[in-house]
Amino acid sequence: MPRAAKTILVIIGAVLVIPSVLAGVNPEADRKAAVEYFKQMFPKVPLKEFVNGQYALDADRRAQWQSLQDFPPYEFAVAEGKEMFETPFANGKTYASCFENGGIGIRQNYPYFDEDKKEVITLELAINQCREANGEKPLKYKKGDIASISAYMASTSDGKPFNIRIPDDPAALAAYQNGKKFYYSRRGQLNFSCASCHVKNPGKWIRADLLSPALGQPSNFPVHRSKWGELGTLHRRFAGCNKNVRAKPLPAQSTEYRDLEYFLTYMSNGLPVVGPSTRP
Amino acid sequence: MRKRLIYVGLATLALSAMSASVVAASQADIDRGKELAFSRKDGNCLACHKMDDGKLTGTIGPELANMKTRYPDRNVLFKRVWDETQFNPQTVMPPFGRHSILSKEEINRIIDYLYTL
Amino acid sequence: MKTILMLGLSLSLLAPLSAQAGAKEDFQKIYSEAKSTHDEAGNFKWTTTASRLSAARSAADDGKYEKAKELAKQALQLAKESVAQRKNQAKVWQNAAIGG
């Protein structure tokens, strides 16, 4: 077969393997449209303020919140997280050995898409993979030690802009699209999508709760909630929001929740890391 | 014997006339309706609607008031509570009837109550 | 005559038992349909379906098959609605999405 014909066949083949559902998927266009959407909804809120969720939208709540920032309730957990982070495993190595730049100042790059494994790697998943690679047992994903370690790592990245990348790989695009689909699909007996509350109704009250916008939503995690009385991870919050609409939550770090985090954090690209933080 | 038949006949007539819109709701029906509308595990209408003397009401939906004037046809009101997505596919109001969140009977009690607003 | 009487007696004794057996079979049939429908909902399962299913299971474990059957029926109804939701959302989710 002539070389040109062969090349053409290869090109056709490559085009064919891209699933048709991915045609027209454009994360950067989505992100820009979302920024525009929320800017129009809240013209007085500076873009970077969106990382403060409900506190960006309501002066009274914000004042209350700020008055409590002198003694943040997560301080002790962050110190514990630091200690665990620096304490060597049984084999003598530390967490630093598993991460770029020794794990300091890297929160803004998570989650990322691993092109070898073809899956989304969140910070909490990477922490447990590091443990297992060094012969340690994995930690539980929603609270406790993992939240403390993740909070410490976030604190070393304070203010760095999120920089979530979607590599030129159909599997990465598919993961993004899967997360987006999760965010916009109605679930549960009460028939809500994440977007029903956090895209359509941010700034409104649902009973005594003030709804935060999708933009900036993951940047303050892990979070200390007064309702929890402790730190919790983003996936703990996902599960809570699913349960509230009577949808069966998925396991923390399931593919669905990791893809969801990938989509949601991508939307916040350019906004600063502010975790850990506090919420009601 | 004949008398009894007549009674039965009358009773059937009365029953068939009791198609929801005609019969006035009793105070007990109305109280039950309010309870269902306010309770978090049932209607939880206050999560989104200001209504009556409800406390800590949400701001997602419009205030529910003047129901008699605005909904002269009980059927229309019933259908909206049953499944608002039929009227507005993008609404966030849960389809209370279609998703079995409330039974037909429960929705009717809530509507008895709504008509007092 | 005597045998007929005996037969009648034993039949009447059996009757409640067989009614019970009928309820048990009904329950099992509805319960397994509810469970497979619930599974078909994939990641669109409802917590309310799950709790009706487990309530049905424990009623059955206590031998209360009529009650178990009723709960399984409710679970089946909810499960069907969750499957309908899953199918419908696969078609319409993008209508509400920023960027389409």
Side-chain angles (χ1 to χ4, degrees):
Chain A
M1 200 188 305
R3 216 171 136 174
K6 234 180 181 169
T7 325
I8 288 171
L9 272 182
V10 168
I11 291 173
I12 292 175
V15 169
L16 284 179
V17 291
I18 298 178
S20 62
V21 287
L22 293 178
V25 173
N26 187 340
E28 192 51 15
D30 288 354
R31 191 190 66 77
K32 285 187 176 140
V35 167
E36 216 33 59
Y37 174 90
F38 288 110
K39 266 188 180 165
Q40 277 186 20
M41 195 178 244
F42 303 104
K44 287 190 200 129
V45 176
L47 190 57
K48 283 194 174 156
E49 269 301 310
F50 281 104
V51 297
N52 293 320
Q54 57 180 289
Y55 302 128
L57 310 181
D58 186 87
D60 285 350
R61 287 227 157 181
R62 189 188 180 84
Q64 257 180 13
W65 176 61
Q66 277 175 332
S67 71
L68 296 172
Q69 293 312 298
D70 291 342
F71 302 102
Y74 50 74
E75 241 171 8
F76 183 66
V78 173
E80 269 189 338
K82 181 174 198 279
E83 195 178 323
M84 285 185 271
F85 186 84
E86 289 167 353
T87 307
F89 301 126
N91 69 2
K93 289 198 187 163
T94 62
Y95 284 105
S97 69
C98 300
F99 294 95
E100 210 181 311
N101 198 37
I104 304 302
I106 57 158
R107 170 71 186 96
Q108 70 281 3
N109 302 326
Y110 285 81
Y112 72 91
F113 190 82
D114 183 321
E115 288 183 80
D116 296 328
K117 294 189 192 140
K118 301 283 180 217
E119 62 174 341
V120 172
I121 310 288
T122 62
L123 185 58
E124 285 81 12
L125 189 71
I127 290 172
N128 264 348
Q129 285 178 345
C130 178
R131 293 180 61 85
E132 292 183 284
N134 287 291
E136 302 283 331
K137 284 213 179 84
L139 299 169
K140 287 227 172 83
Y141 276 120
K142 286 188 177 168
K143 55 185 175 181
D145 290 353
I146 207 153
S148 302
I149 295 168
S150 166
Y152 165 66
M153 292 177 80
S155 74
T156 69
S157 318
D158 190 35
K160 298 208 163 167
F162 273 100
N163 181 24
I164 306 307
R165 290 182 327 103
I166 297 176
D168 189 13
D169 177 340
L173 213 53
Y176 167 88
Q177 188 71 354
N178 198 34
K180 179 177 170 184
K181 184 175 174 189
F182 197 100
Y183 202 80
Y184 287 105
S185 296
R186 289 171 182 263
R187 285 192 153 64
Q189 191 181 27
L190 300 186
N191 205 40
F192 285 87
S193 70
C194 312
S196 307
C197 286
H198 298 299
V199 172
K200 232 184 150 206
N201 287 297
K204 297 219 175 112
W205 296 83
I206 186 159
R207 280 274 189 175
D209 292 321
L210 181 60
L211 288 167
S212 61
L215 200 63
Q217 221 171 24
S219 50
N220 57 298
F221 277 81
V223 82
H224 184 286
R225 287 189 69 193
S226 30
K227 183 181 166 197
W228 295 337
E230 59 181 356
L231 280 175
T233 58
L234 185 58
H235 291 201
R236 184 179 182 188
R237 182 51 118 153
F238 288 171
C241 280
N242 273 159
K243 273 190 254 174
N244 284 344
V245 300
R246 303 184 188 166
K248 199 161 181 285
L250 296 158
Q253 302 300 328
S254 54
T255 309
E256 284 93 341
Y257 277 4
R258 279 184 283 139
D259 290 352
L260 175 62
E261 180 174 346
Y262 193 43
F263 160 75
L264 198 57
T265 317
Y266 186 86
M267 288 296 110
S268 292
N269 261 354
L271 298 181
V273 172
V274 290
S277 188
T278 59
R279 291 290 186 271
Chain B
M1 182 64 197
R2 259 188 74 181
K3 232 177 172 177
R4 251 178 87 184
L5 264 178
I6 291 172
Y7 279 143
V8 170
L10 277 175
T12 332
L13 261 178
L15 271 176
S16 58
M18 211 153 80
S19 82
S21 52
V22 182
V23 152
S26 70
Q27 190 56 43
D29 287 343
I30 293 168
D31 291 347
R32 173 85 183 119
K34 179 172 182 178
E35 193 182 311
L36 286 163
F38 279 33
S39 134
R40 275 171 203 256
K41 69 174 199 358
D42 298 302
N44 199 13
C45 316
L46 301 185
C48 298
H49 294 285
K50 194 169 162 191
M51 61 200 284
D52 205 359
D53 58 352
K55 304 264 159 23
L56 289 179
T57 54
T59 56
I60 293 176
E63 177 171 0
L64 298 180
N66 298 322
M67 301 310 276
K68 256 192 200 130
T69 342
R70 296 193 303 122
Y71 291 94
D73 182 351
R74 181 174 174 121
N75 254 329
V76 175
L77 186 52
F78 182 91
K79 283 185 181 153
R80 296 193 72 159
V81 181
W82 181 266
D83 184 5
E84 175 68 11
T85 67
Q86 294 299 312
F87 297 83
N88 170 12
Q90 299 304 335
T91 189
V92 296
M93 178 156 144
F96 290 99
R98 178 165 60 86
H99 274 189
S100 312
I101 301 163
L102 297 167
S103 68
K104 207 170 176 176
E105 195 270 334
E106 289 170 324
I107 294 179
N108 270 317
R109 295 296 75 74
I110 289 181
I111 286 172
D112 291 341
Y113 164 63
L114 289 181
Y115 275 126
T116 67
L117 302 180
Chain C
M1 183 62 197
K2 221 174 160 187
T3 38
I4 291 177
L5 234 161
M6 281 302 284
L7 205 89
L9 234 159
S10 48
L11 265 179
S12 64
L13 276 174
L14 268 173
L17 260 180
S18 62
Q20 211 20 19
K24 184 175 178 181
E25 274 156 25
D26 284 355
F27 157 74
Q28 279 166 340
K29 196 166 147 271
I30 299 167
Y31 180 84
S32 77
E33 192 189 347
K35 219 168 162 328
S36 63
T37 311
H38 182 53
D39 286 339
E40 199 189 323
N43 63 24
F44 283 76
K45 292 189 180 71
W46 295 359
T47 51
T48 32
T49 316
S51 58
R52 292 291 202 297
L53 277 172
S54 60
R57 180 80 269 163
S58 59
D61 289 346
D62 292 348
K64 296 176 185 153
Y65 290 108
E66 282 300 332
K67 187 180 167 202
K69 190 172 104 182
E70 193 45 46
L71 286 160
K73 264 190 198 161
Q74 291 173 12
L76 177 58
Q77 178 60 30
L78 296 177
K80 281 181 178 162
E81 286 153 12
S82 68
V83 169
Q85 182 184 52
R86 176 187 180 171
K87 290 186 176 150
N88 174 255
Q89 288 303 301
K91 282 184 267 169
V92 305
W93 71 269
Q94 260 172 316
N95 297 346
I98 295 179

